[in-house]
Structure formats: structure tokens, C-alpha cells
Amino acid sequence: MKVAIVGATGAVGREMISDLENSNINHIDIKLFASPRSAGEVLTFRGKSHEVKPFSLEAMRGLDACLMSAGGSFSRQNAKAIADLGVTVIDNSSAWRMVDGVPLVVPEVNPEALRGLPKGVIIANPNCSTIQMVVALKPLMDKFGVEQVQVATYQSVSGTGQKGIKELATQVESIFKFQDPKAEVYAQPIAYNVLPGIDVLDGSGHCFEEEKMVRETRKIFGKPNLPVMATTVRVPVYHCHSEAVSVQLSKPVSRREAIEAMTGFKGLTVHTEDAHAAFPTPRGIAGDQGVHVARVRTPIDAERSDWLQMWVVADNLKKGAATNAVQILEAISYH
Ligand SMILES: NC(=O)c1ccc[n+]([C@@H]2O[C@H](COP(=O)([O-])OP(=O)(O)OC[C@H]3O[C@@H](n4cnc5c(N)ncnc54)[C@H](OP(=O)(O)O)[C@@H]3O)[C@@H](O)[C@H]2O)c1
């Protein structure tokens, strides 16, 4: 299988290389691309060195698939032209997610969206915060039905790519030297701080990250009117996004029934031990490919309820991006 990674030197691209190395696709002829800035850099894939090349449309000719994580404007400019060459594009940016006819896929949740696709189409990878939430919600949706979702996120700086990681590290260093942290990537310092909004503000009080969570969740579940309320927040954590999710189900359930429904769902690990030391945290699960759920509970004083609360954590660079893209590739692989 001939596969390109475009954006190979980025935070997501590097994880794509690692996930693809460990994928179930045995024979991969890999080609790595980035901008001219990092052309010439050498990266390793399955024990062999590969030079990163500057992207060109011509270099896509003859490939089977292109895993793309080079930002929204790059995707808007290039994805369609690559797909027109007969190359299936799996895009990580927000550029194509809400376009009619473009499948928006989490393989554990809506694999049917991949069925019967020809080669040479664009498939969109959802937003990182959306992916982990829909994986946790899917078994509840199947068993009990979902009426509405409320979520508050605690999102790491790697969600902003390499520059977000550098910003937090530089600011922490400044603070340790008793200097004022300089905010360059975010509007205010992220070190020792919490920023209540992610991505551009839309003028109505919401930010684009919240809009993504709402609209993408509806599209993935095929429920265009599902009420979803999101508050997205950046926290000074390097890897993994955490979410406090409250979900209203179509019927009352006990805590045990909810845990049973979620246990064993593909890609989801349900932590049932009520102990501070046992809860999954961003630090604890960084690098893991799955979604972790803990603290599943009904509201206080309600033995059974149509409302459930839970804590959901996943590595935004893994299941939130690279792992999901590689799983899509595995699902459609033409080998
Ligand atoms: N970070 C996450 O958690 C996450 C999760 C889901 C989706 N995404 C999406 O994935 C994409 C990449 O994010 P990231 O976090 O990996 O960002 P990043 O660390 O900034 O990496 C961006 C990558 O894109 C390359 N690139 C930029 N402009 C290019 C161009 N004109 N031609 C070819 N390559 C170009 C960069 O190459 P150089 O090294 O040459 O600059 C780099 O390899 C974004 O669309 C983002 O929204 C990210």
C-alpha cells in the first residue's frame, strides 16, 4: 500500500508515523511530506530512514492514500486535487468535516459511513474532543438512547500542535526564572493558568472548538437536532484532553447498568474503582490509543436516573487524531 503522510513533522504527523508502523497493514510504501521549512529532515519508519520532502501535488500521483495533518487552509487548497488523482485523503483538519457528502468517521462509532466508498474520496477525521466523547457515548446511545449532552473540556496544549507544546514549556521556564511569561500562541499565558475558550470566537458567545463538538457529534450520530452544550477550556497539560460529560438518556438507569453497557465497548476502557489513585488522568494515559472513562455516576440522591455524569480522558494526538486516522485507513485498506 502506497501511503503519504503530509504534515509528517507535526505533533499529529509524528504520531501517525508511529501508529502506522504498528498498524495491521503489512506492506506500506511510505512517503513523508511537510512544508519546505522541514524538508530534508530524516524520520524513521519500520526501521528505515525516510527523508521528508516538500509537498507537491505531483508527488501524490499513484498513491493509495494520503494521511493529511497540515492544517485547515492547506487541506482546503489541496485535498480535493489529491483525491481527484484517485488518492483517498484522510484529513485531520476541520476543513472538510461538515461538508455534505464527506464522511466524518470514528470507526468504533459509525463504521457504516465508510462502507462502499470508492478510492479517491476525502474522509474527515473528527475533532479530538469530539472523538473521545462520541466513543464514550456510543454504547449508552445504543442501549438507552441519548436525549442531550453537556460537556466541559480540559484540553492540553498539544492540541495546538508543536507550537502549543513549546509555548507551555517556555512559559514554565520563564516563571521558574522569575520572569513574566510571554504569551505568543494563546492570548494569555497558559502556564499556571486556565483559558476559557479554544479557537476563534464567533461573536455569539461560543468559540469554534465548541461549535465543532456540537455539530460533529450530531453528524457522527446522524442526529441533526441532538442538544449538545460544550464549554471548551485549555489547561496547562502537555498531552491528553479530559472531559466532564453529563448525558441525559432516554430512560432512567442505575450506575451499574450504565457501567455494564459501556464495559467491553471497543476502544473504551471503563475504570470502576472509586479511588483517587485509580482514576485515569492525562499524565497517566499519555501515549495510549484508547478512550478512558471513570467516575460514571447518577446524580446525588438518585439511585436511578436518566442523567449520568462521567469523566472521559484520551490522548488527543493518538485517538483524538493519528490513531483514529490510521484506524480509518485500516478499515478501508486496499491491500
Ligand atoms: N494536535 C492535535 O491534537 C490535533 C488533533 C486533531 C486534529 N488536529 C489537526 O491536525 C492538523 C495538524 O496539527 P498538528 O497539531 O500536528 O500541528 P503542527 O504540530 O503545527 O504540525 C503541522 C504540520 O503541517 C506541516 N505543514 C504546515 N504547512 C504546510 C504546507 N504548506 N505544506 C506541507 N506541510 C505543511 C508542518 O510542516 P513543517 O514542519 O514544515 O512546518 C507540520 O508537519 C491541524 O489541522 C489540526 O487542527 C490536531
Side-chain angles (χ1 to χ4, degrees):
M1 192 177 196
K2 292 182 183 157
V3 182
I5 298 179
V6 179
T9 51
V12 173
R14 287 171 192 273
E15 296 301 332
M16 281 176 164
I17 294 174
S18 136
D19 279 18
L20 205 51
E21 279 184 323
N22 300 312
S23 73
N24 67 14
I25 306 167
N26 292 332
H27 301 292
I28 300 176
D29 177 1
I30 193 90
K31 298 199 183 320
L32 305 177
F33 298 93
S35 82
R37 284 182 296 273
S38 47
E41 192 174 323
V42 175
L43 298 172
T44 306
F45 180 79
R46 290 185 174 167
K48 283 199 185 136
S49 299
H50 294 266
E51 190 181 319
V52 176
K53 300 271 169 54
F55 170 80
S56 74
L57 184 60
E58 201 42 44
M60 300 292 113
R61 207 176 280 283
L63 298 177
D64 295 300
C66 170
L67 299 181
M68 190 181 279
S69 75
S73 53
F74 179 88
S75 277
R76 264 185 292 276
Q77 268 174 29
N78 296 290
K80 177 82 173 57
I82 298 172
D84 286 346
L85 293 174
V87 182
T88 296
V89 176
I90 302 173
D91 182 41
N92 256 285
S93 79
S94 59
W96 297 90
R97 291 177 190 153
M98 295 311 301
V99 174
D100 275 349
V102 172
L104 181 66
V105 183
V106 180
E108 300 91 333
V109 178
N110 61 337
E112 65 282 356
L114 292 173
R115 235 168 264 144
L117 284 182
K119 260 176 116 168
V121 292
I122 301 171
I123 301 168
N125 220 33
N127 173 256
C128 37
S129 323
T130 309
I131 292 178
Q132 67 185 72
M133 184 172 79
V134 297
V135 170
L137 290 175
K138 174 68 173 165
L140 297 171
M141 171 88 76
D142 287 349
K143 187 92 197 256
F144 312 115
V146 166
E147 298 296 319
Q148 64 165 306
V149 184
Q150 299 178 2
V151 55
T153 69
Y154 310 76
Q155 298 185 218
S156 68
V157 294
S158 61
T160 320
Q162 304 280 26
K163 60 182 186 296
I165 296 171
K166 190 162 168 237
E167 176 107 327
L168 176 56
T170 308
Q171 290 180 1
V172 168
E173 199 182 331
S174 299
I175 289 170
F176 269 78
K177 290 180 181 161
F178 302 101
Q179 295 164 352
D180 276 340
K182 258 202 218 114
E184 288 173 357
V185 174
Y186 304 112
Q188 298 191 50
I190 181 66
Y192 298 88
N193 208 0
V194 163
L195 307 179
I198 293 179
D199 213 327
V200 290
L201 299 165
D202 71 0
S204 73
H206 297 279
C207 58
F208 188 41
E209 188 78 355
E210 290 160 356
E211 190 181 326
K212 286 181 254 179
M213 288 195 80
V214 173
R215 299 197 195 289
E216 293 178 20
T217 299
R218 290 173 175 166
K219 178 168 175 175
I220 292 164
F221 283 138
K223 291 185 177 294
N225 300 315
L226 182 71
V228 180
M229 280 159 276
T231 302
T232 56
V233 178
R234 188 75 67 196
V235 296
V237 160
Y238 284 109
H239 295 282
C240 301
H241 294 348
S242 308
E243 297 175 349
V245 179
S246 298
V247 51
Q248 187 183 24
L249 306 171
S250 305
K251 54 180 167 189
V253 298
S254 68
R255 182 186 194 202
R256 191 177 53 78
E257 286 165 345
I259 288 172
E260 272 174 17
M262 300 172 96
T263 302
F265 185 73
K266 194 158 184 254
L268 192 63
T269 304
V270 185
H271 301 255
T272 53
E273 193 184 345
D274 273 332
H276 289 293
F279 294 145
T281 63
R283 197 181 177 87
I285 64 122
D288 189 277
Q289 293 184 312
V291 176
H292 293 255
V293 172
R295 305 205 58 215
V296 177
R297 61 204 192 276
T298 48
I300 285 176
D301 292 339
E303 188 110 331
R304 297 181 70 76
S305 174
D306 55 347
W307 279 97
L308 277 182
Q309 294 170 267
M310 60 186 165
W311 175 248
V312 183
V313 197
D315 190 327
N316 50 292
L317 297 178
K318 288 290 194 182
K319 184 56 187 169
T323 304
N324 198 71
V326 170
Q327 287 168 339
I328 291 173
L329 184 67
E330 286 177 334
I332 58 161
S333 55
Y334 311 109
H335 57 292

